[in-house]
Amino acid sequence: MKNGSGRRGFLRNLGVGGAAAFLPIGRLKAAEKTSTEEKSLPVVLPGKRAYNTPYNGMHLNRVAFPIGGIGAGMFCLEGTGAISHMSVRNNPDVFNEPAMFAAISIKGLVNGAKVLEAKVPAWKKFGNHDAGLGGTGGATWGLARFESAEFNARFPFADITLIDKDIPLHVDIKGWSPFVPPDADSASLPVGGLEYHFKNNSGKTQDCVFSYSSRNFMEQPDTKNSIKSIKNGFALSADGTQKDPQKQGDFAICTNDPATLVDHCWFRGGWFDGLTMAWKSIQNSELKNNPPVGANAPGASLFVPFSLKPGEEKTIHLMMAWYVPNTKLRMGEVDPSDRARVDADPLLQFHKPWYSSKFKNIEDVAEYWTDNYSDLRKKTKLFTDTFYKSTLPPEVTEAIAANLTILKSPTVMRQYDGRFWNWEGTGDNWGSCHGSCTHVWNYAQAVSHLFPSLERSLRDTEFYESQNEEGHQMFRSNLPITKVVHNFHAASDGQLGGIMKVHREWRISGDTEWLKSIYPKVQASLDYCSKTWDPKGNGVVQEPHHNTYDIEFWGPTGFATSFYLGALNAFITMSKALGKDVSGYETLYAKGKKYMESELYNGEYFQQKIEWKELQAPDPAKAQSYATGYQPEAKIILEKEGPKYQYGTGVLSDGVMGGWLSRMCGLGDPLDQQKTRNHLTSVHRYNFKTSLHEHSNPQRPTYAIGDEGGLLLCSWPKGGMLSLPFVYSNEVWTGIEYQVASHLMLMGEVQKGLDIVRACRDRYNGEVRNPFNEYECGHWYARAMSSYGMIEGLTGVRYDAIDKELHIDSRIGDFTSFLSTATGFGTVTLKAGVPRLDVAYGKIPVNKVIVSGMTKNLG
C-alpha cells in the first residue's frame, strides 16, 4: 500500500454466479427530455427475485445486513437471523461469526426449543470441521432452529420472518441502528437493536422463555477477561494493559424488560461443556440468575419469561452496545514540520473513535442507548418511511439503499474530534487502501447530502493537512489526521474533483464564510494542476497524470480533461460569487473545451491521444510509478505503442466522468451536451454486456463473470486495443456502473441507465453475493455510493442553500423522491407539472422552485 493504492492486496473475493432477475416497472412516462427510443420492459422470469422486495430461498444465502454506527464498527444480521461479521474493535473482521444466539423455549411443547434463526446456508458447512472448538458461530449451527425465513430490507431496518411448523407463534425479528440525517452524531453511535416479536397463533396459552446467549468473544490474550453485570443484561469484557491498551473492549447485551434474569457465567469445563449446559437450560425452559464470577467466565445468557394468551403479542427489545476506545492504528507519514505537535498530543499518536470522546465506558453507552432508544427509533423510522415514499424505479431504490450500508461498515471512520476519515473498502481483516482516497471518494455522493458536515470535513483535510504551499495534494490522508509528507504523485481526477466538490459543499451548506476561508487553498490547488499537467496552457490535461486506475495516462485524455474543465468552471463560478477576476481561467476553460470537443472527439465518443516524446516528462520507463517496471520486452512495446497502461482509441466508461461530477456538484455541463450524450450511449452500446461468457478478463474477474452481465471499464470497438491497456480495463466496477447509469439518466437515456442498474443488482441478488456488500478492492467499497447520484439523474432534484432554490428537472414524468439537505429531509413531488415539497424532519427553506428551467410555485 505504500504510495500506490494497494488494490492488489484484496485477494479474497466473494465468488460469482446468480442469473438475471428482472422486475417489471411499467412504462416510464415520457418526460420532455426523455429519449425517444422504444422502452422495452424487463421480463419477469419464474423463480427470479423482483427488485426491492424480500429475500427468501436461495436469495438468502449471502444476505448480511450491517448494523452499527459511522466510524463505530458493526455487526451483520444475516438473512437467517444469525449474527456475523462482528467488527467492533476498530478493524474489519469479516469472517468473525461469534457463538451468540437468541432462542425461544415453549414449555411443554415437543421440539419447542429453537434458536431464533433459520437453517444454516449450505455454503458455510464445508471447511469448518473444528468450528465448535473455537467459540465461533459454527458452534451453534447444530442446535435446533427454524425451518425457513424471509428477509426484507428497509434501510437502516431489516425485517426477518421465521417459519416453523412446530412453533405455534408468529415470529419476527427487526434489526436496526440509528440513522437520522443530517445528525451525524446519532448515526455514529456504537449500538444496534434487535427486536424479537412474538404472536400466539394457537388456541391456548403458551408459556415461553426468550433467551440470548453468547460466549465472551471480546476476550483477549494476556489480559483479564470477564463478564460484567449491567442493567437487565451483561457485558462481555476484556481489560487493556499499559502495553496494549487496544485490548480493552466491552460488548453489552441487555433488554428494557424488568423481568430479565441473567446467568453471568456458563458452566465452566473443557471441550463443549459451556454451550452444552447452556443449551440444556434453554431446552428445559430453565431460568438462571447467577451473579458475575470475576475472571474467565466462558459465556453468559439472559432470560425473559412471558406468557401469551391466544392472539396476544409481545416484543422483546434486545439492545447491543460496545466500547473499544483505544487502537494501535495509524496510517501515513507525518510531515516533519508537524512532528512536534503530534508528539505532544496523545490523541494524534493513534486513532481513537469519535464515540470515545462522548462516552467514558460501556455503562455510559448502554445507559444512553436504553434511555434514547425510543426517540432514536422514532426518528430513524421517520427517515426510512420518507426515503421509501419514493416512486423511482425499484431497482434504483434498491441500489441506493443497499449501498447506504457502506456508512455502517468498517470502511468509514470518525476520529476523536469527529472528523471523517475512510478506507476505500474493507479487507477481510484489514482496512483496504487508506486515506479517504480522493479519486475513489469522488464517486460517492451519499454523504454530501445525508451528512454534509462529515463530507465537508474531508474537504478541510484535503486542502489543509494534505495540501502543501505549492498546491500539491496527497490523495491519501494520514490517520490520525496530520500534515502529510508529499512524496508521491497528485491524483489528477482526485485533486480536480475536489475543487468541484468545494462548490458542492458550499451550495449544500449555504456557508459562504467557509468558502472564503478555503478559497486561497482552492486557487493554489488549481494553479498546481495547471502548472503540472497543462504547462503549455492549452486547457488540456496532457502531461502524465495519475488517476483512479493506479497508473498514469500519457497525453491528452477526455477522462482527465473533463475533470479539468469541470474544476475550471467550478472555480470561475465560486470566484465570481466572491467578486474575483477570473478572466485568465475563463480563457483557459474556453481553449480546453474547444480542444476536447474537436481533437479528442472521434464523432462518436471521447478518447485519448497517447503522447510521450513531446512532453516535458522524462522517459516513461523511468517516470511511471505503480508496478510499471519496464523490462526489455516492455521497452519494445513502448517504442511501438507508447507507454504501458493507456486507453488510446478505446471508449472509456469514465471518459466524461468530470462532466457527471460537475452536475453532481450543482454546476452545468462543462462540455457540449450532445457530444457528452453520444459518448455515454457509445459506452452503453460497446461496454455494456448482458453476458460476459465470451469476455476474457486476466485481471480480477469475480466482480462479474461468466453468464452475468455488467459494464466493462473500457472496450476498443474501432480497433487499436493496446498490448497492455490500463490495468483493470477488463473489469466491472459497480461504482462506475452507477456513475454511468446516473449520467445517462441525466441526459435523458433512462432506459439505458436502468439496463446497467439491473445487471448490477442481478449479480448481487443474494444467491452468491451479499446484496448489501458491493465489493471492489474491498468489501463495502465506497465508489458504489455513486448510486445516490441516480436520484438527481432521474429527477433533477437539487437544493441550493445559498439561493434557497429547489431545482427539478424530471426525466421520468411525475414522481415522488427523497431529498436530504444540511437542515432537514423530506420528499419532493412533481405531479402534472406542479412541484410539492413535504418536509419530514428539520427545515428546508425555499424561496424559488425551478422546474426544467421555469420558475414555479410550490403546490
Side-chain angles (χ1 to χ4, degrees):
M1 290 177 60
K2 183 177 180 181
N3 293 337
S5 83
R7 289 204 179 94
R8 295 175 299 170
F10 187 71
L11 301 176
R12 193 170 189 174
N13 294 321
L14 295 181
V16 297
F22 294 112
L23 175 68
I25 60 170
R27 290 189 179 273
L28 297 170
K29 293 184 179 180
E32 195 171 330
K33 298 182 182 177
T34 301
S35 170
T36 57
E37 66 179 314
E38 181 182 353
K39 294 177 174 57
S40 59
L41 293 174
V43 178
V44 180
L45 301 177
K48 301 303 179 183
R49 178 186 164 272
Y51 305 112
N52 205 32
T53 62
Y55 298 83
N56 49 45
M58 63 183 180
H59 299 297
L60 282 177
N61 281 351
R62 289 283 182 170
V63 168
F65 186 85
I67 292 175
I70 296 174
M74 71 160 194
F75 60 84
C76 285
L77 179 63
E78 295 198 347
T80 61
I83 300 299
S84 65
H85 297 69
M86 182 62 70
S87 302
V88 296
R89 284 192 165 275
N90 301 295
N91 193 66
D93 204 352
V94 168
F95 295 99
N96 181 8
E97 184 173 342
M100 58 191 306
F101 62 96
I104 188 71
S105 177
I106 302 176
K107 295 180 181 179
L109 183 68
V110 177
N111 298 326
K114 298 199 174 182
V115 173
L116 287 163
E117 300 173 16
K119 292 179 180 178
V120 177
W123 67 268
K124 287 188 176 184
K125 298 175 186 178
F126 182 75
N128 285 285
H129 58 284
D130 279 339
L133 291 173
T136 65
T140 72
W141 294 349
L143 305 180
R145 57 220 318 115
F146 282 64
E147 292 175 341
S148 61
E150 182 175 86
F151 181 99
N152 193 32
R154 287 295 179 263
F155 179 86
F157 294 93
D159 294 292
I160 299 172
T161 297
L162 294 175
I163 302 166
D164 191 284
K165 66 180 184 299
D166 295 329
I167 303 298
L169 306 177
H170 180 90
V171 181
D172 293 315
I173 307 170
K174 184 183 291 292
W176 73 285
S177 47
F179 197 87
V180 190
D183 180 6
D185 289 355
S186 67
S188 302
L189 297 172
V191 300
L194 296 175
E195 299 175 3
Y196 293 86
H197 179 78
F198 305 94
K199 181 179 180 180
N200 185 356
N201 288 332
S202 74
K204 66 176 184 178
T205 297
Q206 302 292 342
D207 295 320
C208 310
V209 177
F210 169 86
S211 61
Y212 202 91
S213 305
S214 180
R215 289 196 177 177
N216 186 1
F217 59 83
M218 296 299 288
E219 66 181 7
Q220 295 285 296
D222 303 318
T223 190
K224 179 184 176 182
N225 300 297
S226 62
I227 297 180
K228 301 186 293 190
S229 178
I230 61 170
K231 185 178 180 180
N232 296 327
F234 56 87
L236 312 170
S237 300
D239 291 352
T241 65
Q242 187 172 2
K243 177 183 177 182
D244 292 309
Q246 78 282 359
K247 291 183 177 181
Q248 178 188 347
D250 301 274
F251 192 98
I253 303 172
C254 64
T255 78
N256 60 355
D257 195 317
T260 303
L261 301 172
V262 181
D263 177 11
H264 288 87
C265 183
W266 285 355
F267 185 95
R268 287 170 286 186
W271 292 97
F272 313 104
D273 294 358
L275 182 59
T276 299
M277 297 299 285
W279 182 247
K280 286 184 180 296
S281 296
I282 292 169
Q283 283 183 309
N284 296 328
S285 301
E286 295 177 10
L287 300 175
K288 290 193 171 185
N289 192 24
N290 297 319
V293 298
N296 301 319
S301 302
L302 61 79
F303 305 89
V304 181
F306 62 97
S307 294
L308 293 178
K309 295 178 181 179
E312 283 190 336
E313 304 177 41
K314 181 178 179 63
T315 298
I316 294 172
H317 297 84
L318 194 76
M319 302 169 188
M320 296 182 175
W322 53 94
Y323 190 78
V324 184
N326 303 308
T327 79
K328 284 290 183 75
L329 176 62
R330 58 186 174 198
M331 298 298 299
E333 185 177 353
V334 177
D335 187 276
S337 68
D338 206 20
R339 173 52 65 187
R341 182 180 71 92
V342 171
D343 290 344
D345 188 346
L347 295 176
L348 297 178
Q349 305 301 306
F350 297 102
H351 171 66
K352 286 179 69 70
W354 167 81
Y355 68 75
S356 67
S357 71
K358 182 177 178 65
F359 303 106
K360 295 180 180 178
N361 49 47
I362 188 61
E363 290 80 7
D364 277 1
V365 181
E367 181 180 12
Y368 184 89
W369 185 214
T370 54
D371 288 349
N372 292 276
Y373 186 94
S374 295
D375 181 62
L376 289 169
R377 190 187 189 284
K378 179 181 178 181
K379 292 176 180 176
T380 299
K381 187 175 185 299
L382 180 61
F383 161 78
T384 299
D385 291 345
T386 305
F387 180 86
Y388 284 95
K389 285 181 181 177
S390 169
T391 61
L392 301 186
E395 56 267 57
V396 170
T397 300
E398 176 181 290
I400 296 168
N403 285 298
L404 292 183
T405 63
I406 295 167
L407 299 179
K408 301 287 186 180
S409 79
T411 295
V412 298
M413 304 182 76
R414 286 185 76 187
Q415 71 172 22
Y416 191 85
D417 61 4
R419 294 170 76 178
F420 205 36
W421 186 98
N422 309 295
W423 306 99
E424 292 180 22
T426 295
D428 293 348
N429 53 16
W430 69 93
S432 180
C433 307
H434 78 281
S436 309
C437 179
T438 59
H439 60 66
V440 169
W441 278 84
N442 263 346
Y443 294 76
Q445 299 302 311
V447 180
S448 61
H449 296 279
L450 296 169
F451 302 106
S453 63
L454 295 184
E455 183 71 33
R456 195 166 65 169
S457 76
L458 293 180
R459 303 292 85 71
D460 291 334
T461 299
E462 291 163 12
F463 285 92
Y464 290 98
E465 283 87 353
S466 295
Q467 180 171 305
N468 62 16
E469 292 183 3
E470 187 184 4
H472 172 277
Q473 272 185 15
M474 288 291 286
F475 57 89
R476 299 192 186 279
S477 300
N478 290 351
L479 184 74
I481 297 171
T482 56
K483 290 183 178 180
V484 301
V485 173
H486 292 262
N487 57 2
F488 194 68
H489 301 301
S492 57
D493 46 351
Q495 186 155 341
L496 290 164
I499 295 169
M500 287 186 268
K501 289 186 287 186
V502 168
H503 181 273
R504 182 187 64 191
E505 270 60 90
W506 169 50
R507 291 288 177 177
I508 287 175
S509 69
D511 189 348
T512 299
E513 292 304 312
W514 175 77
L515 176 63
K516 289 178 181 177
S517 66
I518 204 171
Y519 179 86
K521 295 285 188 178
V522 175
Q523 184 170 20
S525 174
L526 181 57
D527 289 347
Y528 174 86
C529 294
S530 296
K531 179 181 66 175
T532 303
W533 299 310
D534 180 28
K536 298 177 182 178
N538 294 323
V540 179
V541 175
Q542 187 170 13
E543 292 291 319
H545 41 287
H546 193 75
N547 55 70
T548 200
Y549 305 109
D550 300 325
I551 45 79
E552 289 76 52
F553 287 142
W554 289 68
T557 61
F559 167 71
T561 299
S562 71
F563 275 93
Y564 191 21
L565 297 177
L568 284 164
N569 187 37
F571 183 73
I572 290 166
T573 303
M574 292 184 289
S575 299
K576 287 182 176 180
L578 299 180
K580 307 287 186 179
D581 176 29
V582 289
S583 55
Y585 296 98
E586 289 177 316
T587 299
L588 200 59
Y589 171 78
K591 290 171 65 176
K593 184 174 184 293
K594 180 179 179 180
Y595 182 94
M596 182 163 171
E597 292 176 356
S598 59
E599 300 301 318
L600 297 181
Y601 184 71
N602 66 8
E604 194 173 8
Y605 56 84
F606 292 96
Q607 56 187 34
Q608 175 193 17
K609 278 191 172 183
I610 300 174
E611 296 179 1
W612 59 283
K613 293 184 176 179
E614 303 301 323
L615 302 182
Q616 295 182 6
D619 184 342
K622 300 176 181 177
Q624 287 184 290
S625 59
Y626 182 60
T628 53
Y630 276 78
Q631 299 300 324
E633 54 268 42
K635 291 182 179 180
I636 295 174
I637 294 176
L638 172 63
E639 291 299 325
K640 181 180 178 181
E641 301 178 358
K644 290 196 292 182
Y645 310 142
Q646 310 301 299
Y647 70 94
T649 60
V651 53
L652 182 69
S653 290
D654 264 349
V656 289
M657 191 215 156
W660 173 77
L661 186 58
S662 177
R663 293 289 297 273
M664 293 292 107
C665 291
L667 295 153
D669 291 292
L671 293 163
D672 177 81
Q673 279 197 8
Q674 187 58 51
K675 288 183 170 66
T676 297
R677 180 173 175 167
N678 290 348
H679 178 93
L680 292 166
T681 57
S682 296
V683 167
H684 180 273
R685 181 181 307 116
Y686 298 124
N687 295 359
F688 177 65
K689 307 295 180 183
T690 56
S691 172
L692 294 167
H693 180 70
E694 298 298 333
H695 173 68
S696 297
N697 178 6
Q699 295 146 18
R700 296 175 298 184
T702 59
Y703 302 158
I705 194 172
D707 291 332
E708 296 173 332
L711 184 75
L712 300 176
L713 267 60
C714 195
S715 68
W716 285 263
K718 297 181 182 299
M721 183 175 181
L722 304 163
S723 300
L724 289 172
F726 72 94
V727 294
Y728 316 136
S729 59
N730 288 296
E731 296 180 359
V732 172
W733 296 355
T734 69
I736 290 179
E737 288 180 303
Y738 294 133
Q739 180 268 123
V740 171
S742 59
H743 206 175
L744 278 164
M745 293 167 183
L746 280 168
M747 294 295 161
E749 299 286 352
V750 172
Q751 206 62 35
K752 290 182 174 65
L754 292 178
D755 288 345
I756 297 170
V757 178
R758 291 173 189 143
C760 181
R761 291 308 298 170
D762 289 346
R763 299 196 306 272
Y764 284 87
N765 67 3
E767 186 177 356
V768 201
R769 295 182 183 86
N770 182 1
F772 310 102
N773 175 8
E774 294 189 7
Y775 60 93
E776 190 188 307
C777 181
H779 308 274
W780 292 285
Y781 199 75
R783 201 189 310 267
M785 283 190 285
S786 59
S787 53
Y788 198 90
M790 291 189 290
I791 294 178
E792 185 172 350
L794 290 171
T795 68
V797 169
R798 175 174 60 84
Y799 176 71
D800 187 330
I802 294 294
D803 298 325
K804 304 294 189 294
E805 290 179 349
L806 178 63
H807 295 258
I808 303 172
D809 193 10
S810 177
R811 299 296 189 269
I812 52 174
D814 292 352
F815 69 86
T816 294
S817 183
F818 180 72
L819 171 68
S820 185
T821 75
T823 54
F825 63 77
T827 58
V828 175
T829 297
L830 184 68
K831 187 173 183 179
V834 178
R836 189 177 79 242
L837 171 65
D838 294 303
V839 180
Y841 181 83
K843 59 183 181 179
I844 307 176
V846 173
N847 294 335
K848 182 190 291 187
V849 182
I850 302 173
V851 179
S852 300
M854 298 178 61
T855 300
K856 296 208 173 185
N857 295 321
L858 283 172

